[in-house]
Amino acid sequence: MRAAARTLRQPRTASWVAEETEVSVKTARRYLEQLVADNVLRRVDHGDTTRYCVDRLMATYREVARLQREHDREALTESLAEMRTQISEWESTYGVESPAALRASVGDCDDPAEITARREAASEWEHLADRVRVLQTA
């Protein structure tokens, strides 16, 4: 239950989590509320509906702490440089300055393979941009 809850990227209800983890709604709600108290999840209220998702701030804090424990400054700097190089390559290859611009360029393509390549590159670019911020903090 706890492992599944830590993967909630978009807000989900306790009943959704219960169904996914094959536990009762009462059990799911109890664990979810404990994870909110532990700053692992956050509660998002929409009217009468309560949803839960990963607390991104705390997840980032834990990731920074993990990186600092497991890697020295040189390894972090090297990883950061590799990520920045990859982003520069996408900028140069596709002639765009952001993942959003790369996604927008898909409309100019007729080749399905090129469309797929651009979408995948945009997704990876977004991921690396997030990782760059975490590594810089670490």
Side-chain angles (χ1 to χ4, degrees):
M1 173 67 208
R2 288 179 185 271
R6 291 175 190 263
T7 66
L8 296 176
R9 299 290 176 237
Q10 53 184 293
R12 301 290 188 174
T13 63
S15 59
W16 185 92
V17 172
E19 189 174 310
E20 290 293 309
T21 58
E22 299 179 356
V23 300
S24 72
V25 174
K26 182 178 178 180
T27 299
R29 190 171 286 115
R30 183 172 37 116
Y31 277 101
L32 292 167
E33 287 298 327
Q34 182 60 52
L35 290 167
V36 168
D38 292 344
N39 293 315
V40 172
L41 297 180
R42 67 182 177 90
R43 186 182 312 117
V44 180
D45 294 316
H46 287 285
D48 295 340
T49 306
T50 298
R51 297 175 185 208
Y52 302 86
C53 64
V54 170
D55 184 328
R56 299 300 305 152
L57 179 61
M58 290 305 293
T60 300
Y61 172 77
R62 281 190 282 281
E63 178 67 6
V64 167
R66 184 190 67 75
L67 287 169
Q68 289 175 337
R69 277 191 316 272
E70 296 177 4
H71 304 282
D72 64 17
R73 187 179 296 257
E74 185 61 35
L76 293 172
T77 302
E78 185 177 316
S79 293
L80 188 57
E82 289 170 5
M83 290 177 190
R84 287 185 170 149
T85 297
Q86 179 61 62
I87 289 171
S88 292
E89 287 175 13
W90 285 320
E91 289 173 335
S92 176
T93 299
Y94 297 109
V96 295
E97 295 181 6
S98 70
L102 181 53
R103 284 190 195 285
S105 74
V106 167
D108 299 331
C109 296
D110 294 325
D111 179 18
E114 180 65 17
I115 290 170
T116 299
R118 286 174 184 248
R119 285 184 176 151
E120 288 174 0
S123 292
E124 289 181 47
W125 188 344
E126 288 167 341
H127 173 73
L128 285 185
D130 288 341
R131 296 298 302 158
V132 163
R133 287 188 284 277
V134 171
L135 281 171
Q136 283 175 317
T137 301

